[in-house]
């Protein structure tokens, strides 16, 4: 059984078919890339997988169960976490509290308790804080744990989003353009960290990225979308040399 399977997943927005009969399977332990030109339907796929949109037709199976059309919180509880193309942090909260807020999702403790406003749940809150500090360490953010998250440079905000997603203890992590806006060194460091999330922490990763070096050096399997349709699927070398992929990117280096 695949961890995640899209079977002819389709969504229409009025006259536009943003994702058109897309099928692919992500196995446990995969580092899987979803690529394609702007407007190809990549983020919409994430929105279908995470319950932001209900598929017009087709199926989305997670651990063999249909999740297409379930509420986002129900899908998150099953073990899928994501980051966003446009960073979504609580910019006035500290870095640490942003991650604690992520962690409360799979915990009994309510949000207010998690942030320390209710003394009844201090023990559990302490566990959440320790978990949060652990993911901050993995994402190399320990030194800024008590900074206001809105004050962080962009690359660190992107890493913080990943720490927050990891605090929900997901089996499947979806990253929407994690390297966007990063310089080459930051992007290389992030590549090593994402690999570590799989190798050391056993997580499965499905990521969208325009940085081809990042994708080709990290992902073992890649699906390519163009205008909502899947045009190629395979390993990096296979995909890079596919004439349809080259044509879709119209000369952009792949
Ligand atoms: N809620 C919506 N209503 C109408 N159209 C939408 C909606 N969401 C996405 N679309 C359209 O679906 C298409 C695919 O958008 P999507 O954001 O999935 O592309 P993408 O592959 O993530 O592109 P990019 O690389 O630019 O982020 C686009 O034409 C977009 O305008
Ligand atoms: Mg997108």
């Amino acid at each position: 059984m695949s961890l995640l399977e899209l079977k002819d997943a389709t969504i229409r927005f009025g006259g536009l078919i943003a994702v058109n009969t897309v099928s692919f399977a992500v196995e446990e332990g995969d580092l899987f890339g979803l690529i394609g030109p702007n407007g190809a339907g990549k983020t919409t796929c994430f929105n279908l997988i995470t319950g932001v949109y209900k598929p017009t037709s087709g199926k989305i199976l997670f651990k063999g169960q249909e999740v297409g059309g379930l509420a986002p919180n129900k899908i998150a509880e099953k073990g899928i976490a994501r980051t966003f193309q446009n960073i979504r942090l609580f910019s006035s909260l500290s870095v640490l509290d942003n991650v604690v807020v992520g962690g409360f999702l799979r915990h009994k403790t309510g949000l207010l308790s998690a942030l320390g406003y209710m003394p009844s749940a201090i023990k559990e809150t302490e566990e959440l804080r320790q978990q949060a500090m652990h993911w901050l360490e993995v994402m190399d953010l320990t030194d800024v744990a008590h900074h206001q998250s809105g004050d962080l440079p962009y690359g660190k905000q992107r890493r913080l989003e990943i720490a927050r997603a990891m605090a929900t203890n997901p089996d499947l992590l979806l990253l929407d353009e994690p390297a966007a806006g990063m310089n080459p060194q930051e992007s290389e460091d992030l590549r090593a960290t994402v690999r570590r999330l799989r190798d050391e922490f056993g997580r499965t990763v499905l990521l969208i990225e325009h940085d081809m070096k990042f994708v080709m050096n990290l992902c073992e399997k890649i699906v390519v979308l163009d205008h909502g349709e899947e045009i190629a699927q395979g390993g990096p070398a296979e995909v890079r040399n596919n004439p349809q992929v080259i044509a879709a990117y119209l000369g952009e280096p792949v």
Side-chain angles (χ1 to χ4, degrees), residues 42-43 85 176-177 208:
K42 306 179 297 294
T43 297
Q85 186 168 351
D176 197 343
E177 302 197 21
I208 295 170

Side-chain angles (χ1 to χ4, degrees), residues 97-156:
D97 280 346
N98 265 279
V99 184
V100 170
V101 169
F104 100 95
L105 177 76
R106 281 185 134 188
H107 249 255
K108 290 196 287 291
T109 305
L111 175 59
L112 291 176
S113 317
L115 292 174
Y117 295 123
M118 282 168 65
S120 57
I122 282 178
K123 185 163 172 278
E124 212 169 35
T125 304
E126 188 47 39
E127 279 170 26
L128 280 173
R129 284 184 177 257
Q130 280 173 12
Q131 273 293 314
M133 284 308 291
H134 165 70
W135 291 116
L136 287 180
E137 191 187 329
V138 172
M139 297 313 298
D140 199 17
L141 293 167
T142 308
D143 57 332
V144 291
H146 300 290
H147 291 209
Q148 196 166 315
S149 66
D151 292 343
L152 293 187
Y154 192 73
K156 290 193 177 185

Side-chain angles (χ1 to χ4, degrees), residues 13 16 18 37-44 53 85 177 210:
F13 296 114
L16 175 81
N38 291 117
K42 306 179 297 294
T43 297
T44 305
Y53 300 134
Q85 186 168 351
E177 302 197 21
H210 282 288

Side-chain angles (χ1 to χ4, degrees), residues 76-95:
E77 279 170 16
K78 288 180 186 293
I80 301 181
R82 75 178 291 182
T83 63
F84 293 89
Q85 186 168 351
N86 305 309
I87 295 175
R88 294 188 193 177
L89 292 168
F90 297 106
S91 55
S92 60
L93 288 186
S94 73
V95 167

